[in-house]
Amino acid sequence: FMAGLLESLARVNEVLGRPTIAMAQLERAKHMYIAAAGTDCAGHLGVGKVLHNIGKLHMSQGRFNKADEAFREAFNLTTGFIADQAGPPSRPFNHPGVTTRAADALQVRGHVCASLGRWGQGKHDFRVAMECYAFALT
């Protein structure tokens, strides 16, 4: 809860022209999610989401190499999380144990792919995420 609040606060500070404060809040949120990652799968997803937001903030400040690093780290983290949620290779994500977390992770990775210029993969991730959400609702 607190990490999500910090993310929202960071967005407000970025809009108000305070990128240094926003970055500090995102870093703090990232560390909160990392601490939760050992006990909660939402923590892993939270780290990926915050890294993507950190990358976007770096982009807005013209720090393209740092942005690329954050995006790649977010991509790798969400890819690992998706693999953990995937289920049997013959029918990935389409099994009784599917969770909305897999769809959430695919959605985050779709945004990261777009930030990295990987439009095709991002589009595919969004499509699979929609299928996951639909399957989870049945």
Side-chain angles (χ1 to χ4, degrees), residues 20-74:
T20 307
I21 294 170
M23 186 62 75
Q25 290 167 331
L26 287 173
E27 286 292 337
R28 190 164 166 221
K30 180 178 86 171
H31 291 293
M32 289 175 143
Y33 282 126
I34 288 170
T39 58
D40 182 10
C41 61
H44 290 289
L45 184 56
V47 176
K49 196 172 77 167
V50 170
L51 283 167
H52 182 244
N53 288 332
I54 287 171
K56 290 191 305 187
L57 185 56
H58 280 309
M59 283 289 274
S60 72
Q61 298 300 304
R63 296 186 295 257
F64 302 112
N65 288 337
K66 286 198 171 277
D68 191 58
E69 279 177 35
F71 290 146
R72 288 183 191 287
E73 193 176 344

Side-chain angles (χ1 to χ4, degrees), residues 56-103:
K56 290 191 305 187
L57 185 56
H58 280 309
M59 283 289 274
S60 72
Q61 298 300 304
R63 296 186 295 257
F64 302 112
N65 288 337
K66 286 198 171 277
D68 191 58
E69 279 177 35
F71 290 146
R72 288 183 191 287
E73 193 176 344
F75 178 84
N76 291 337
L77 202 93
T78 53
T79 299
F81 185 78
I82 291 165
D84 291 345
Q85 300 292 314
S90 58
R91 300 191 74 202
F93 305 112
N94 196 12
H95 62 95
V98 74
T99 64
T100 56
R101 290 282 180 222

